[in-house]
């Protein structure tokens, strides 16, 4: 059986043997910024590339000017459509309703005049559904004067980049929208066609066009504009891919490759890296096969062979196949030699750095980190600087340059706090806690762990987030509280132990609504919290802290044992381990207080529990305690 997609990748160990790490010269070339000024685009396809780059870099005015310059340049319909879609993306991101309407009109016109009348009708239907012509009079009621006004506005702006006159575009739109608004979605009669002859947009074609006309998907770069729920996008894109074979001849270009790439991005956004990897690899394999069949490089308006598919793989493979991820990041960066798009470039370098760190490439990661620290300053929007700053701080921490790590870490935390970015603030606290632990600054580590738990709680309570993300944040919150409880126990901070235990109880209680984590995991966290509080009260009693007495200590011990007795089915061994641990600690505390008789009973229970579990070292420790306590 031949594996395909993500399952065809070698495991991390195989990859480490089969492909070496990139050398410093490769990195130096890949991380080199583009030579500016960039050469002027020579045709409409290159202009479409450049406009897309400018839009992604949030240089919207330059994008509009470049599109206008190529408005009258002759070009194949596919290239013209790529330019128009890039312009429309900018209009969506800037919420420019007039530009969006003009561009939507030109998109329909290009399809209509290029002979793809079914796709034109379907596109008009979809754009009408999405309000591309919000406030536009119905085609049947527009008079000549309104057409004339529209022509004048469009010509004066010059940014529609349609390559056709506004009057002719409007006429094509009228024809397409008439079909779209009709019950049979038929395209009305055109000059040169027999009256009554109609072209219908089939349901399958509408499914494909709806998926193709999606403008943006949520991304790690926080891009503004219209966004699509990735979970719904996945369902829509799968349906569209199933419908492609029946409408392939009616659609301009290669819809399957574009849809598969969008599916890879949507799956990544839903937290399915394996599915995303499979789709991205399929995109690259398909393009390689197409180029082999035609013996020429594929014209690729969406540049799926370069940054797009490789960028997805650089992100999805970092944890499981870091060297593969690093090589894909380098491939994507290699395609940006003539692309001046700082957000895209910095995002790829950030992913490259994370992959190199995961692969243990210390020297390469240090070099990349230095370049990234410099390049992140080129980003116009502060929120885009958070991820690279955190990556630089993480690399410096791993290199044990703790003092140097604090500067980018605190800058990232400040930006996250100002923009209420709780996820980035969580990562900053996680990183800060690790640095404090490595430098043995335990009080500071405790502070960061409490911050981490706070941010995780906020994210876990976000009902708009998908259930898997909320479950991840619940697990993070519980783990952070558990670590804070242990650190507070070591530092003798009884009040903080109480606070952490109470927070764990609130989050993990069985009556707290629909659980996001398995019952046994929640039970284990609750037991951990109660046992930790029991130990903290015992230590406070030994230190003779005010407000703590033997009755409180015994109450907390009984509460811990009672919860241990409520073990979920199939976890008896875990319960036995907890019970033996409580008896062991109880015996030692009683012995320290001179209550030898009670201590011997607890020590015997602990010894018997450890023996049933086969824990020989713990049995020996319990036997030693019994020997020290003497006979009854």
């Amino acid at each position: 059986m031949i594996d395909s997609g993500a399952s065809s990748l070698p495991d991390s160990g195989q990859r480490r043997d089969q492909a070496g790490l990139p050398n410093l010269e490769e990195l130096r070339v890949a991380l080199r910024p583009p030579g500016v000024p960039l050469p002027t685009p020579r045709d409409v396809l290159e202009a479409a590339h450049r406009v897309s780059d400018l839009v992604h870099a949030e240089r919207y005015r330059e994008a509009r000017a470049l599109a206008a310059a190529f408005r009258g340049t002759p070009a194949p319909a596919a290239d013209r459509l790529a330019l128009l879609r890039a312009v429309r993306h900018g209009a969506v991101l800037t919420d420019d309703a007039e530009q969006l309407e003009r561009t939507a009109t030109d998109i329909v016109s290009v399809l209509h005049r290029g002979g793809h009348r079914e796709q034109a009708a379907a596109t008009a239907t979809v754009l009408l559904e999405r309000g591309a012509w919000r406030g536009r009079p119905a085609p049947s009621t527009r008079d000549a004067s309104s057409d004339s006004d529209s022509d004048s506005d469009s010509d004066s702006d010059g940014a529609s980049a349609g390559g056709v006159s506004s009057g002719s575009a409007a006429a094509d739109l009228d024809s397409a929208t008439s079909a779209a608004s009709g019950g049979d979605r038929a395209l009305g009669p055109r000059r040169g066609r027999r009256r009554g002859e109609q072209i219908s947009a089939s349901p399958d074609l509408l499914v494909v066009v709806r998926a193709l006309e999606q403008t943006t998907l949520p991304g790690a770069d926080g891009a503004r504009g219209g966004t699509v729920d990735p979970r719904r996008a996945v369902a829509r894109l799968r349906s569209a891919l199933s419908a492609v074979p029946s409408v392939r001849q009616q659609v301009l270009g290669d819809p399957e490759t574009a849809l598969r790439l969008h599916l890879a991005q949507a799956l990544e956004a839903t937290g399915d890296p394996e599915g995303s990897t499979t789709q991205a690899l399929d995109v690259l394999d398909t393009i390689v096969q197409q180029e082999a069949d035609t013996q020429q490089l594929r014209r690729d308006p969406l540049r799926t062979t370069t940054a797009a598919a490789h960028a997805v793989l650089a992100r999805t493979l970092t944890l499981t196949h870091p060297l593969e991820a690093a090589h894909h990041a380098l491939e994507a960066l290699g395609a940006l030699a003539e692309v001046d798009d700082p957000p895209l470039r910095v995002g790829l370098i950030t992913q490259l750095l994370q992959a190199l760190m995961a692969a243990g490439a210390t020297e390469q990661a240090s070099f990349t980190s230095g370049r990234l620290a410099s390049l992140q300053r080129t980003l116009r929007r502060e929120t885009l600087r958070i991820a690279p700053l955190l990556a630089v701080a993480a690399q410096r921490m791993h290199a044990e340059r703790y003092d140097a790590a604090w500067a980018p870490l605190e800058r990232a935390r400040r930006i996250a706090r100002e923009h209420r970015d709780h996820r980035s603030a969580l990562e900053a606290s996680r990183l800060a806690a690790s640095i404090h632990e490595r430098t043995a600054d335990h009080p500071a580590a405790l502070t960061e762990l409490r911050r981490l738990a706070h941010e995780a709680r906020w994210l876990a309570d976000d009902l708009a987030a998908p259930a898997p993300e909320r479950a991840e944040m619940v697990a993070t919150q519980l783990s952070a509280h558990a670590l804070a409880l242990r650190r507070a126990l070591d530092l003798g901070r009884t009040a903080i132990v109480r606070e952490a235990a109470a927070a764990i109880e609130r989050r993990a209680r069985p009556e707290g609504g629909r659980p996001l984590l398995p019952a046994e995991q929640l039970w284990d966290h609750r037991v951990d919290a109660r046992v930790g509080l029991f130990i903290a009260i015992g230590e406070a009693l030994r230190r003779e802290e005010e407000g703590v007495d033997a009755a409180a200590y015994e109450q907390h011990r009984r509460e811990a044992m009672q919860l241990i007795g409520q073990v979920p089915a199939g976890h008896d061994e875990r319960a036995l381990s907890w019970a033996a641990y409580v008896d062991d600690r109880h015996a030692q505390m009683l012995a320290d207080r001179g209550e030898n008789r009670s201590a011997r009973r607890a020590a015997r229970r602990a010894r018997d529990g450890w023996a049933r579990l086969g824990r020989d070292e713990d049995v020996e420790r319990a036997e030693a305690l019994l020997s020290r306590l003497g006979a009854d």
Side-chain angles (χ1 to χ4, degrees):
M1 179 178 178
I2 299 176
D3 293 329
S4 62
S7 60
S8 67
L9 290 168
D11 60 35
S12 299
Q14 289 176 318
R15 180 61 186 170
R16 189 178 297 274
D17 294 336
Q18 293 176 3
L21 293 165
N23 58 46
L24 294 182
E25 183 57 30
E26 289 180 276
L27 290 173
R28 190 174 289 108
V29 172
L31 301 181
R32 185 181 299 155
V36 290
L38 297 174
T40 302
R42 293 165 294 185
D43 54 30
V44 170
L45 182 61
E46 289 189 6
H49 291 175
R50 186 69 55 80
V51 169
S52 180
D53 298 334
L54 291 170
V55 167
H56 190 265
E58 300 182 354
R59 295 159 61 182
Y60 303 115
R61 183 176 298 178
E62 296 174 58
R64 286 194 295 268
L66 180 60
F70 281 83
R71 182 182 178 196
T73 304
D79 297 356
R80 178 68 58 191
L81 188 61
L83 178 58
L84 288 168
R85 282 174 171 163
V87 173
R88 185 192 62 185
H89 189 191
V92 171
L93 295 176
T94 57
D95 198 21
D96 187 340
E98 292 183 5
Q99 178 68 62
L100 181 60
E101 179 175 339
R102 285 193 297 270
T103 307
T105 301
D106 286 345
I107 287 174
V108 173
S109 178
V110 166
L111 292 169
H112 201 274
R113 291 176 177 273
H116 296 274
R117 295 185 176 90
E118 298 91 346
Q119 186 179 359
T123 301
T125 299
V126 172
L127 294 178
L128 283 168
E129 290 172 351
R130 299 189 179 181
W133 295 289
R134 191 174 297 128
R136 178 179 181 275
S140 60
T141 63
R142 290 198 314 168
D143 57 16
S145 62
S146 64
D147 283 348
S148 175
D149 291 342
S150 176
D151 294 355
S152 174
D153 291 344
S154 183
D155 290 340
S156 63
D157 184 270
S160 67
V164 292
S165 69
S166 298
S168 61
D172 290 332
L173 176 62
D174 282 348
S175 182
T177 51
S178 295
S181 60
D184 58 357
R185 297 187 179 90
L187 210 62
R190 284 179 50 83
R191 186 181 306 168
R193 297 182 61 84
R194 183 177 301 169
R195 183 172 298 277
E197 185 178 355
Q198 297 178 334
I199 299 175
S200 300
S202 66
D204 280 352
L205 183 58
L206 281 170
V207 168
V208 171
V209 170
R210 284 192 181 99
L212 286 172
E213 296 303 325
Q214 287 181 158
T215 52
T216 57
L217 282 171
D221 61 356
R224 296 174 300 190
T227 58
V228 179
D229 182 344
R231 293 164 293 183
R232 294 182 180 179
V234 168
R236 184 182 297 120
L237 288 163
R238 291 194 190 280
S239 298
L241 282 167
S242 299
V244 162
S246 63
V247 299
R248 191 185 303 274
Q249 300 304 316
Q250 302 172 31
V251 179
L252 179 64
D254 177 13
E256 183 173 358
T257 302
L259 291 171
R260 204 168 290 283
L261 177 64
H262 290 325
L263 179 57
Q265 295 166 335
L267 287 168
E268 181 192 2
T270 61
D272 183 3
E274 185 172 349
S276 177
T277 297
T278 297
Q279 296 299 328
L281 288 173
D282 287 347
V283 167
L284 295 178
D285 290 343
T286 299
I287 292 172
V288 169
Q289 186 61 50
Q290 289 174 349
E291 292 178 346
D293 292 342
T294 60
Q295 296 297 313
Q296 61 183 2
L297 293 178
R298 178 179 183 272
R299 288 179 63 80
D300 184 17
L302 295 180
R303 283 200 306 223
T304 49
T305 57
T306 55
H310 286 299
V312 169
L313 292 168
R315 293 190 295 268
T316 59
L317 294 175
T318 296
L319 295 179
T320 57
H321 298 78
L323 280 179
E324 288 278 2
H327 284 288
H328 281 293
L330 289 172
E331 289 281 350
L333 287 167
L336 303 183
E338 295 185 358
V339 176
D340 185 18
D341 184 351
L344 176 59
R345 185 178 298 275
V346 171
L348 284 169
I349 296 173
T350 300
Q351 204 59 51
L352 172 62
L353 175 57
Q354 292 171 342
L356 291 171
M357 285 192 293
T362 305
E363 185 179 12
Q364 291 86 344
S366 178
F367 178 82
T368 305
S369 176
R371 293 293 298 132
L372 183 58
S374 174
L375 289 172
Q376 57 86 21
R377 299 189 184 98
T378 64
L379 298 173
R380 296 186 176 189
R381 191 145 49 101
E382 272 202 324
T383 53
L384 298 181
R385 299 175 61 196
I386 296 174
L389 285 170
L390 289 176
V392 169
Q395 186 278 325
R396 292 176 179 177
M397 181 194 73
H398 287 297
E400 299 184 357
R401 298 172 57 204
Y402 302 119
D403 291 339
W406 281 113
L409 175 57
E410 290 301 339
R411 282 201 298 272
R413 198 206 298 266
R414 175 185 59 78
I415 297 170
R417 187 182 301 117
E418 290 174 356
H419 293 272
R420 299 183 180 180
D421 184 348
H422 293 275
R423 184 172 290 276
S424 295
L426 179 147
E427 295 301 332
S429 294
R430 194 199 306 270
L431 190 56
S434 297
I435 294 175
H436 286 309
E437 288 290 349
R438 288 171 177 240
T439 56
D441 188 350
H442 300 310
L446 175 59
T447 299
E448 293 296 345
L449 288 169
R450 297 175 74 190
R451 287 178 179 171
L452 173 59
H454 171 77
E455 298 295 350
R457 176 189 176 188
W458 195 96
L459 292 165
D461 289 338
D462 181 8
L463 298 180
E469 289 185 17
R470 293 183 61 212
E472 178 188 354
M473 289 300 105
V474 168
T476 300
Q477 180 193 355
L478 291 171
S479 297
H481 279 309
L483 290 171
L485 187 150
R486 286 172 173 77
R487 185 53 66 200
L489 192 57
D490 295 339
L491 296 172
R493 308 280 184 85
T494 308
I496 296 179
V497 173
R498 290 181 186 273
E499 176 187 303
I504 292 172
E505 287 277 5
R506 284 194 301 272
R507 176 61 75 182
R509 67 189 188 277
E511 68 277 8
R514 181 182 177 184
L516 293 168
L517 296 179
E520 59 272 14
Q521 188 174 348
L522 295 174
W523 168 82
D524 201 60
H525 274 291
R526 293 179 68 207
V527 172
D528 184 44
R530 290 198 186 182
V531 170
L533 183 56
F534 146 70
I535 295 172
I537 296 299
E539 293 295 329
L541 182 61
R542 183 178 58 81
R543 294 191 299 266
E544 299 182 352
E545 285 187 12
E546 185 178 353
V548 177
D549 54 24
Y553 168 80
E554 182 59 24
Q555 177 188 348
H556 286 293
R557 186 189 72 83
R558 290 181 181 277
E559 288 177 353
M561 294 300 292
Q562 180 182 11
L563 183 58
I564 291 170
Q566 298 172 10
V567 55
H571 293 271
D572 293 337
E573 185 173 335
R574 180 64 174 165
L576 182 59
S577 176
W578 273 120
Y581 179 75
V582 170
D583 285 331
D584 200 331
R585 292 300 300 257
H586 184 45
Q588 294 177 33
M589 290 182 183
L590 291 172
D592 291 341
R593 298 210 302 263
E595 300 179 24
N596 292 357
R597 185 174 181 180
S598 298
R600 282 193 293 270
R601 288 199 297 268
R604 291 191 189 101
R605 291 196 302 270
R607 179 195 60 192
D608 294 343
W610 294 132
R612 284 196 294 273
L613 292 168
R615 303 268 287 270
D616 294 338
E617 292 185 4
D618 294 315
V619 171
E620 291 176 5
R621 188 181 63 255
E623 291 284 6
L625 178 59
L626 284 169
S627 299
R628 191 169 69 250
L629 291 172
D632 289 337

